[in-house]
Amino acid sequence: MDFSFLPKYYMFFINGAKITILLSIFTVVLGVILGIVLALMRLSRFGVLRMVATAYIEFIRGTPLLVQLFLFYYGLPKLGIEFPDIPALGTAFPEFMAGVVALSVNSAAYVAETFRAGIQGIDKGQMEAARSLGMPHSMAMRHIILPQAIRNVLPALGNEFIVIIKESSIVSVIGISELMYNADTVRGNSFRPFEPLIVAALIYFVMTFTLSKLLGVAERRMRNSD
Amino acid sequence: MHKSFGRHHVLQGIDIEIEKGEVVVVIGPSGSGKSTFLRCLNLLEQPTGGDIAFEGTSLIHGKPDINKLRERMGMVFQQFNLFPHMTVLDNITLAPRKLKGMSEQAANDVAHNLLRRIGLFDKANSYPGQLSGGQKQRIAIARALAMSPAMLLFDEPTSALDPEMVGEVLDVMKQLAAEGMTMVVVTHEMGFAREVGSRLVFMDGGKVVEQGKPAEVFANPQHPRTKEFLGKVL
C-alpha cells in the first residue's frame, strides 16, 4: 500500500466530494418534490393521473439507472434542453444537470412509493374528521394528511439520501467530475490502480455514516417530542 | 334512504325526520346499520338510494355544496380523530380560520370559551397525545362546536373510553342537549338514552324496527326484536 500520491492529489478527492454532495442535495430536493407529486397522482380520483404515475413508477423501477442516465445525457439536448456552462461549479454544468435530472427522475419513483405508503398509513379517521368539519379534500390533504405523512416518512427519506450519495457515483461515466470520477483520474495519473479507490470508498463511507448517525439523532428527537 | 356495500344491503330503507332541537338516540345490535345511517347523514358514506334533506336542501340531488352543509353538521367520532400534529387550540381553530375566514384572534376567543365550557382551558397548548381519552373526546366535541353547527352527529362517542371517563363526556353532551342543540347519537349508553334522548330509535338489520319516547320504549317495547335486545342490554 502506497498513499504517497495523496499530498499531490488530495484536492481531487475534496473537489470530487464537494460535487458529489452538491449533486446529491439537488437530487434529493428535486426527487422529493417530484415524488410527492407522483404519490398524489397515484392516489388521485382521476384515472388518467393514476395511470400516468403508475406507468412512470413501474418504468423507472424496471429499467437500469445507467440506461436512464444515458437516455437523459443524450436525450435532453435532442429535446432542445441545453444547459449553459457555469465554470465556477468545477465540473461541466450540462453534464452535471443531466446527472441531476437522471438521478432525481429515478429517485422520485422510489420516493413516490414511500410517500404513498406514508399517506395511506394515516388513519382514515383523520380525513373523515377534516371532511366532517367542512374542509375540501385538498385542504384536508394539505393541513391534516401531508404534514403527518411527511413526518412518518422522514426516516425513509433520509435513507433515500444515503442511497443517492452512493448511486451518484454512476454519473462518473458521463464525465461529471465527482468523487468517483476524480478517484479514477488520480488512478490514471499516479499509476496506483488500487489505493485511490480505497480513499474514495472511505470518503463515501464517512459521508453516509455521518448522515446516518445525524438522521438517527433527528429521529430520536422527533419521537421524544411526540 | 338506502345504502349498499357491493351486494350487501346495509340500510334497507330508513325513513326518518328529525326536528330542530331533538336529541335522537339510535341504538341497536352491532351490524344493524346504525353507524352507517349516521355516516350517510353527512355523506361520509354515499347513500345508494333515496334522499336526505337538511334545512330544506337535498344533499343528494342538484349538486349541493357538501362542504358548506358539513360545516353546519358537526361530527364526533368513536376514535376522537383529533389531529395529533397540532395543539388542542389549533385543532379547534383550524376549520373556523380556514373555512369561515375568522381572524386568529377571533378563532382563539371562540376556542378558549369552548375550552372553558368543557373544563379544559388549561389544555389549550397541549398535544392530543398528552390527553386522556375523555379529554380527547371533549376536545373533539369542542372542535365540532367551533364551527357553530346547527346539528351534531355522535358516532358511539363513549365506546372507546375507559369506564371512568364516560361520565365526563356524557356530561358535556347533556349540557349541549339542555341548550337545545339538535343531536343524533349512536350509542350503547342506555342511561344516557333514557335520560337525555327526546326520541329513541331502535335499528336492526338495516331498518328502523321501533321508535318513540325513550321512557315508553324502555318500559314497554312493542316489537319482539326490541324486547330481545333491551332484555340483553338492560
Side-chain angles (χ1 to χ4, degrees):
Chain A
M1 290 284 218
D2 178 3
F3 289 95
S4 57
F5 61 88
L6 271 179
K8 193 171 166 195
Y9 291 112
Y10 73 98
M11 278 310 287
F12 276 78
F13 292 102
I14 291 177
N15 288 333
K18 272 189 206 158
I19 296 292
T20 290
I21 291 172
L22 208 57
L23 193 66
S24 305
I25 291 174
F26 269 95
T27 299
V28 163
V29 172
L30 284 178
V32 166
I33 294 170
L34 187 55
I36 293 180
V37 172
L38 283 167
L40 291 176
M41 282 169 70
R42 266 207 95 157
L43 297 171
S44 158
R45 271 174 299 161
F46 304 107
V48 186
L49 292 181
R50 279 205 305 276
M51 245 170 56
V52 170
T54 307
Y56 176 105
I57 291 166
E58 292 300 330
F59 182 77
I60 293 295
R61 297 205 303 176
T63 51
L65 175 57
L66 187 59
V67 175
Q68 293 162 16
L69 179 64
F70 277 118
L71 280 175
F72 279 105
Y73 180 51
Y74 292 114
L76 286 180
K78 271 216 153 67
L79 290 170
I81 301 170
E82 292 190 46
F83 298 97
D85 216 3
I86 301 175
L89 188 64
T91 186
F93 190 61
E95 277 76 10
F96 180 81
M97 281 316 291
V100 167
V101 170
L103 285 174
S104 22
V105 158
N106 182 274
S107 172
Y110 295 90
V111 171
E113 288 299 88
T114 306
F115 260 101
R116 184 171 67 116
I119 291 170
Q120 286 178 326
I122 305 293
D123 187 277
K124 72 178 175 49
Q126 290 289 308
M127 178 56 93
E128 289 183 349
R131 298 307 304 273
S132 79
L133 288 165
M135 289 188 211
H137 186 269
S138 56
M139 187 190 286
M141 258 309 186
R142 194 171 131 222
H143 291 286
I144 308 301
I145 305 298
L146 278 183
Q148 295 184 60
I150 289 173
R151 244 179 113 99
N152 288 352
V153 303
L154 272 182
L157 286 186
N159 285 333
E160 181 64 17
F161 200 174
I162 290 172
V163 168
I164 288 169
I165 290 178
K166 292 185 291 175
E167 290 202 332
S168 70
S169 62
I170 209 173
V171 303
S172 59
V173 300
I174 59 169
I176 301 175
S177 51
E178 41 70 80
L179 184 53
M180 181 62 198
Y181 182 89
N182 281 8
D184 250 346
T185 309
V186 175
R187 221 148 61 95
N189 289 359
S190 64
F191 306 108
R192 306 294 315 176
F194 188 59
E195 290 85 347
L197 287 176
I198 300 241
V199 175
L202 278 177
I203 297 176
Y204 275 118
F205 180 71
V206 168
M207 289 196 280
T208 55
F209 188 71
T210 312
L211 187 54
S212 140
K213 285 289 152 204
L214 286 177
L215 288 168
V217 172
E219 214 178 307
R220 262 194 304 282
R221 278 227 185 117
M222 248 174 57
R223 215 173 307 135
N224 290 341
S225 75
D226 272 342
Chain B
M1 178 175 65
H2 292 259
K3 169 72 186 177
S4 306
F5 291 109
R7 293 185 55 197
H8 186 42
H9 207 166
V10 184
L11 295 184
Q12 314 192 354
I14 306 284
D15 191 356
I16 199 166
E17 202 162 309
I18 296 163
E19 299 290 333
K20 203 166 176 337
E22 260 196 296
V23 177
V24 176
V25 179
V26 184
I27 60 169
S30 52
S32 59
K34 54 194 193 303
S35 275
T36 306
F37 161 66
L38 194 73
R39 291 162 57 82
C40 279
L41 290 182
N42 67 352
L43 299 190
L44 283 183
E45 304 289 352
Q46 189 75 31
T48 35
D51 194 7
I52 305 165
F54 175 61
E55 297 184 320
T57 316
S58 168
L59 306 192
I60 312 288
H61 304 291
K63 297 213 169 194
D65 185 345
I66 296 306
N67 294 325
K68 276 274 166 269
L69 288 163
R70 282 185 180 139
E71 288 181 20
R72 312 258 315 132
M73 212 182 326
M75 186 160 195
V76 175
F77 300 84
Q78 183 179 352
Q79 298 296 338
F80 328 130
N81 296 339
L82 292 179
F83 308 133
H85 60 300
M86 293 178 184
T87 62
V88 163
L89 192 66
D90 287 336
N91 262 278
I92 299 174
T93 59
L94 179 72
R97 278 189 288 127
K98 297 287 168 193
L99 296 170
K100 295 194 148 177
M102 224 184 250
S103 72
E104 196 173 336
Q105 186 59 52
N108 285 352
D109 287 347
V110 169
H112 282 133
N113 281 334
L114 286 168
L115 285 172
R116 206 171 283 127
R117 255 172 75 187
I118 60 172
L120 292 174
F121 187 71
D122 55 327
K123 299 292 182 192
N125 295 312
S126 304
Y127 282 86
Q130 301 164 319
L131 304 174
S132 73
Q135 291 171 334
K136 283 186 203 170
Q137 195 61 301
R138 285 187 280 158
I139 303 286
I141 295 173
R143 178 176 67 178
L145 286 175
M147 293 300 287
S148 8
M151 179 180 186
L152 275 183
L153 311 174
F154 292 84
D155 189 4
E156 305 200 19
T158 56
S159 298
L161 295 177
D162 290 338
E164 74 267 25
M165 293 172 180
V166 170
E168 61 190 68
V169 172
L170 291 182
D171 284 343
V172 172
M173 293 168 63
K174 280 177 203 166
Q175 193 188 327
L176 283 174
E179 288 163 15
M181 172 64 77
T182 312
M183 295 158 65
V184 182
V185 186
V186 171
T187 188
H188 296 293
E189 292 295 329
M190 296 304 151
F192 175 84
R194 191 197 303 261
E195 195 183 331
V196 184
S198 58
R199 186 176 4 156
L200 188 69
V201 172
F202 174 67
M203 278 181 70
D204 190 27
K207 288 189 184 111
V208 173
V209 173
E210 186 168 348
Q211 56 177 314
K213 289 234 173 298
E216 286 164 21
V217 177
F218 277 124
N220 189 16
Q222 298 301 308
H223 197 280
R225 279 296 294 128
T226 320
K227 280 181 197 163
E228 189 193 335
F229 179 76
L230 289 178
K232 276 182 198 157
V233 296
L234 289 180

